[in-house]
Amino acid sequence: MSQETEHVKCLIIGSGPAGYTAAIYASRADLKPVMYTGLLAGGQLTQTTEVENFPGYPQGIMGPELMEDFRKQAERLGTEIRFGYVSSVDFSSLPHKVVVDDVKTITADTVIISTGASAKWLGLESEQKYSGFGVSACAVCDGFFFKGQDVAIVGAGDTAAEEATYLAKLARKVYMIVRRDEFRASKAMVHRVLNTPNIEILYNTETKEILGDGQSVTGVKVINNQTNAETDLDVTGFFVAIGHHPNTDIFKGWLHMDETGYIITRPGSTETNVEGVFCAGDAQDHIYRQAVTAAGTGCMAAIDAERYLAAKEHVVTA
Ligand code: NDP
């Protein structure tokens, strides 16, 4: 039940690279943004180790430290950052209504959604134990650390196929663990995988356990679901590429989404189907999913919000 109400010009939901970049631009445009961080303040990058591909850090930077830098910059420029979880929204009329932690209602002239996406995991205890220590859900982020080593990747969709071929350029050998006897990925991607000599595909195979020495990954136990034969793969890296789910459930029914829940924005912009509501980052991007692309669309969202408000003001005062 909502108890308090507050009005803001620009509300930013989510605190990954998209949200913080939107915050930086919105602050500088004097939109006096208020950000709710969500439960995982700083987003997916706070769960990674070293980030080497974010421009501006020639020596690389640890993910949590990078997000701390984002936060400090947004705060210094005037964003009010609050820890809290948006539990529901009502976009039926202006201003938009957003409920935080089930108790507080905020009305907002503009809303920037940057709630991101979460990687799907297999759900094994050992997978969680070695997350960041050999287990990763992002080959582009972490593949480099396995240069010349043997790795395994699980999944058979376009992401897995793309990441397997990416890893094959760095690793000595890539085992691709496919649970059925065929891929889900497009023909072109499968063709690329089949034509990469250092990828070995293990069909009808499932992951039983990630093996490790207590510090990092040393192998993977897999089982053939036809014969029940178990094999230990000698790998130091284990990549999970079984899909992502966008964190957009609370917007269902209000915003147009694709069949997997990614918010649809007007091409070349961050506008959603509701006026004054913009979306940036992984909540609307299932293709690139990089910190730098999320930051780019965060910047776009703040500019779109600022222009939307300026146009409205112009109509009111004209
Ligand atoms: P998908 O949902 O397409 O594929 C997920 C894959 O993971 C499937 O092969 C599925 O197996 C497998 N999987 C799911 N759960 C498990 C599990 N518990 N154990 C083992 N395997 C599992 O996700 P993607 O991320 O690959 O792709 C998402 C969307 O993004 C797709 O529409 C894709 O086409 C698109 N995309 C496009 C790209 C491009 O055009 N360049 C690049 C990357 C993605 P199964 O097949 O048996 O269900």
Side-chain angles (χ1 to χ4, degrees), residues 122 154-160 162 179-180 184 241-244 286 289:
L122 295 172
V154 58
D158 279 326
T159 303
E162 201 167 75
R179 68 178 172 183
R180 291 185 293 140
R184 178 179 295 275
I242 60 171
H244 282 74
H286 65 81
R289 293 198 299 256

Side-chain angles (χ1 to χ4, degrees), residues 120-122 154-162 177-180 182-186 189 205-207 241-244 259-260 262 286-287 289:
K120 289 184 190 160
W121 297 95
L122 295 172
V154 58
D158 279 326
T159 303
E162 201 167 75
I177 304 167
V178 176
R179 68 178 172 183
R180 291 185 293 140
E182 60 176 352
F183 279 84
R184 178 179 295 275
S186 58
M189 290 305 296
T205 301
E206 291 175 40
T207 309
I242 60 171
H244 282 74
E259 65 286 352
T260 45
Y262 286 92
H286 65 81
I287 296 176
R289 293 198 299 256

Side-chain angles (χ1 to χ4, degrees), residues 47-49 62 121 126-137 142 145-146 210-219 235-238:
Q47 297 186 317
T48 58
T49 49
M62 299 304 279
W121 297 95
S126 50
E127 172 190 52
Q128 221 181 346
K129 179 172 174 187
Y130 290 109
S131 176
F133 300 93
V135 173
S136 165
D142 299 325
F145 303 116
F146 301 92
I210 320 297
L211 309 170
D213 58 8
Q215 301 283 317
S216 55
V217 171
T218 57
V235 294
T236 49
F238 181 73

Side-chain angles (χ1 to χ4, degrees), residues 82-143:
R82 302 175 185 170
F83 183 77
Y85 184 78
V86 171
S87 39
S88 64
V89 298
D90 177 350
F91 292 158
S92 59
S93 58
L94 295 175
H96 301 301
K97 287 174 209 66
V98 170
V99 178
V100 181
D101 295 328
D102 291 316
V103 289
K104 183 180 169 84
T105 299
I106 308 243
T107 57
D109 295 327
T110 59
V111 177
I112 295 177
I113 296 167
S114 47
T115 46
S118 306
K120 289 184 190 160
W121 297 95
L122 295 172
L124 302 169
E125 213 175 285
S126 50
E127 172 190 52
Q128 221 181 346
K129 179 172 174 187
Y130 290 109
S131 176
F133 300 93
V135 173
S136 165
C138 179
V140 177
C141 319
D142 299 325

